Amino acid sequence: AEALRRGLDARLVLAGVANEPGFYAPLTGMIAAHGLEDRVSILLDRADVEAILAEADIFVLPSREEGFGLALVEAMAADLPVIAARTGGAAGLVTHEVNGLAFTPEAVGELADAMLRLAQDPTLGRRLADRGRETAGRYDIRATVDTLAGLYRRLVG
Protein backbone atom coordinates (compact mmCIF):
# COMPACT_ATOMS: atom_id res chain seq x y z
CA ALA A 1 0.00 0.00 0.00
CA GLU A 2 2.85 2.41 0.81
CA ALA A 3 4.61 1.77 -2.50
CA LEU A 4 1.33 2.33 -4.37
CA ARG A 5 0.81 5.60 -2.50
CA ARG A 6 4.26 6.64 -3.71
CA GLY A 7 3.34 5.95 -7.32
CA LEU A 8 4.44 2.37 -7.94
CA ASP A 9 2.06 0.65 -10.35
CA ALA A 10 2.32 -2.91 -9.11
CA ARG A 11 0.49 -6.10 -8.31
CA LEU A 12 1.46 -8.28 -5.39
CA VAL A 13 1.31 -12.06 -5.48
CA LEU A 14 1.58 -13.77 -2.10
CA ALA A 15 2.55 -17.39 -2.44
CA GLY A 16 3.09 -19.96 0.25
CA VAL A 17 1.71 -22.72 2.39
CA ALA A 18 -1.25 -22.08 4.67
CA ASN A 19 0.07 -24.12 7.59
CA GLU A 20 -0.86 -21.79 10.45
CA PRO A 21 -4.50 -21.97 11.51
CA GLY A 22 -6.10 -18.56 11.51
CA PHE A 23 -3.45 -16.90 9.32
CA TYR A 24 -5.42 -16.58 6.10
CA ALA A 25 -8.46 -14.66 7.42
CA PRO A 26 -6.47 -11.82 9.04
CA LEU A 27 -4.37 -11.56 5.86
CA THR A 28 -7.41 -11.12 3.65
CA GLY A 29 -8.76 -8.67 6.23
CA MET A 30 -5.59 -6.55 5.98
CA ILE A 31 -5.81 -6.60 2.19
CA ALA A 32 -9.42 -5.39 2.35
CA ALA A 33 -8.63 -2.76 5.01
CA HIS A 34 -6.05 -1.21 2.69
CA GLY A 35 -8.35 -1.46 -0.34
CA LEU A 36 -5.94 -3.73 -2.17
CA GLU A 37 -8.27 -6.48 -3.36
CA ASP A 38 -7.62 -5.58 -7.01
CA ARG A 39 -3.83 -5.45 -6.48
CA VAL A 40 -3.14 -8.56 -4.37
CA SER A 41 -3.49 -12.23 -5.31
CA ILE A 42 -2.94 -15.09 -2.88
CA LEU A 43 -1.62 -18.41 -4.16
CA LEU A 44 -1.71 -21.14 -1.54
CA ASP A 45 -0.29 -24.64 -1.56
CA ARG A 46 1.14 -24.43 -5.09
CA ALA A 47 4.02 -26.66 -6.15
CA ASP A 48 4.83 -24.81 -9.40
CA VAL A 49 7.32 -22.40 -7.85
CA GLU A 50 9.23 -21.93 -11.12
CA ALA A 51 6.08 -20.87 -12.95
CA ILE A 52 5.12 -18.42 -10.22
CA LEU A 53 8.60 -16.88 -10.18
CA ALA A 54 8.70 -16.70 -13.98
CA GLU A 55 5.74 -14.30 -13.86
CA ALA A 56 7.43 -11.95 -11.35
CA ASP A 57 9.58 -8.88 -11.90
CA ILE A 58 10.84 -8.55 -8.32
CA PHE A 59 10.87 -10.94 -5.37
CA VAL A 60 10.29 -9.63 -1.84
CA LEU A 61 10.85 -11.60 1.36
CA PRO A 62 9.43 -9.34 4.08
CA SER A 63 9.71 -11.86 6.92
CA ARG A 64 9.86 -10.76 10.53
CA GLU A 65 11.77 -13.98 11.22
CA GLU A 66 13.33 -16.30 8.69
CA GLY A 67 15.14 -19.62 8.71
CA PHE A 68 17.52 -20.42 5.88
CA GLY A 69 15.55 -18.60 3.18
CA LEU A 70 15.00 -21.28 0.54
CA ALA A 71 12.36 -19.15 -1.21
CA LEU A 72 14.95 -16.38 -1.49
CA VAL A 73 17.52 -18.73 -3.07
CA GLU A 74 14.85 -20.01 -5.49
CA ALA A 75 14.05 -16.42 -6.52
CA MET A 76 17.74 -15.68 -7.04
CA ALA A 77 18.09 -18.83 -9.14
CA ALA A 78 15.07 -17.67 -11.17
CA ASP A 79 17.06 -14.55 -12.12
CA LEU A 80 14.94 -12.11 -10.12
CA PRO A 81 16.22 -9.07 -8.25
CA VAL A 82 15.41 -9.67 -4.59
CA ILE A 83 14.50 -7.53 -1.61
CA ALA A 84 14.69 -9.12 1.83
CA ALA A 85 14.32 -8.15 5.45
CA ARG A 86 17.56 -8.28 7.41
CA THR A 87 16.59 -11.26 9.54
CA GLY A 88 17.62 -14.88 9.97
CA GLY A 89 19.02 -16.68 6.95
CA ALA A 90 18.00 -13.86 4.61
CA ALA A 91 20.40 -11.51 6.37
CA GLY A 92 23.24 -13.89 5.53
CA LEU A 93 22.15 -14.44 1.93
CA VAL A 94 21.54 -10.84 0.80
CA THR A 95 24.35 -8.34 0.79
CA HIS A 96 22.69 -4.95 0.37
CA GLU A 97 23.28 -3.46 -3.07
CA VAL A 98 25.49 -6.40 -4.08
CA ASN A 99 23.10 -9.30 -4.75
CA GLY A 100 19.86 -7.75 -3.55
CA LEU A 101 18.40 -4.98 -1.44
CA ALA A 102 17.91 -5.36 2.30
CA PHE A 103 15.66 -3.50 4.71
CA THR A 104 14.91 -3.47 8.42
CA PRO A 105 12.10 -5.91 9.32
CA GLU A 106 8.73 -4.14 9.52
CA ALA A 107 10.20 -0.87 8.18
CA VAL A 108 7.46 -0.23 5.62
CA GLY A 109 9.10 2.93 4.27
CA GLU A 110 12.42 1.16 3.65
CA LEU A 111 10.65 -1.65 1.83
CA ALA A 112 8.68 0.80 -0.32
CA ASP A 113 11.92 2.67 -1.10
CA ALA A 114 13.57 -0.57 -2.24
CA MET A 115 10.62 -1.56 -4.41
CA LEU A 116 10.55 1.86 -6.05
CA ARG A 117 14.32 1.78 -6.67
CA LEU A 118 14.07 -1.50 -8.53
CA ALA A 119 11.02 -0.39 -10.49
CA GLN A 120 12.75 2.84 -11.53
CA ASP A 121 16.23 1.43 -12.20
CA PRO A 122 16.19 -1.71 -14.39
CA THR A 123 19.98 -1.60 -14.65
CA LEU A 124 20.27 -1.97 -10.88
CA GLY A 125 17.74 -4.80 -10.96
CA ARG A 126 19.70 -6.61 -13.68
CA ARG A 127 23.00 -6.24 -11.80
CA LEU A 128 21.47 -7.50 -8.53
CA ALA A 129 19.76 -10.40 -10.30
CA ASP A 130 23.04 -11.44 -11.95
CA ARG A 131 24.85 -11.46 -8.62
CA GLY A 132 21.90 -13.16 -6.95
CA ARG A 133 22.04 -15.96 -9.51
CA GLU A 134 25.72 -16.43 -8.60
CA THR A 135 24.74 -16.61 -4.92
CA ALA A 136 22.03 -19.18 -5.65
CA GLY A 137 24.54 -21.28 -7.57
CA ARG A 138 26.37 -21.97 -4.32
CA TYR A 139 23.24 -23.78 -3.11
CA ASP A 140 22.57 -25.78 -6.28
CA ILE A 141 22.01 -29.45 -5.47
CA ARG A 142 24.80 -30.49 -7.85
CA ALA A 143 27.29 -28.23 -6.05
CA THR A 144 26.10 -29.60 -2.71
CA VAL A 145 26.49 -33.21 -3.90
CA ASP A 146 29.98 -32.48 -5.27
CA THR A 147 31.02 -30.84 -2.01
CA LEU A 148 29.70 -33.74 0.09
CA ALA A 149 31.25 -36.31 -2.23
CA GLY A 150 34.63 -34.56 -1.92
CA LEU A 151 34.30 -34.50 1.83
CA TYR A 152 33.47 -38.20 1.96
CA ARG A 153 36.42 -39.05 -0.33
CA ARG A 154 38.78 -37.12 1.97
CA LEU A 155 37.35 -38.81 5.08
CA VAL A 156 37.55 -42.30 3.59
CA GLY A 157 40.97 -41.68 2.02
Side-chain angles (χ1 to χ4, degrees), residues 52-72:
I52 294 168
L53 293 173
E55 294 294 319
D57 296 313
I58 296 170
F59 179 86
V60 178
L61 187 70
S63 302
R64 291 181 182 118
E65 298 176 12
E66 186 63 42
F68 168 69
L70 179 59
L72 188 57

Side-chain angles (χ1 to χ4, degrees), residues 5 8-9 25 31 38 80-81 83 98 124 140 149 151:
R5 277 193 284 281
L8 182 65
D9 182 21
I31 292 166
D38 63 330
L80 288 172
I83 302 169
V98 173
L124 172 64
D140 182 278
L151 173 64

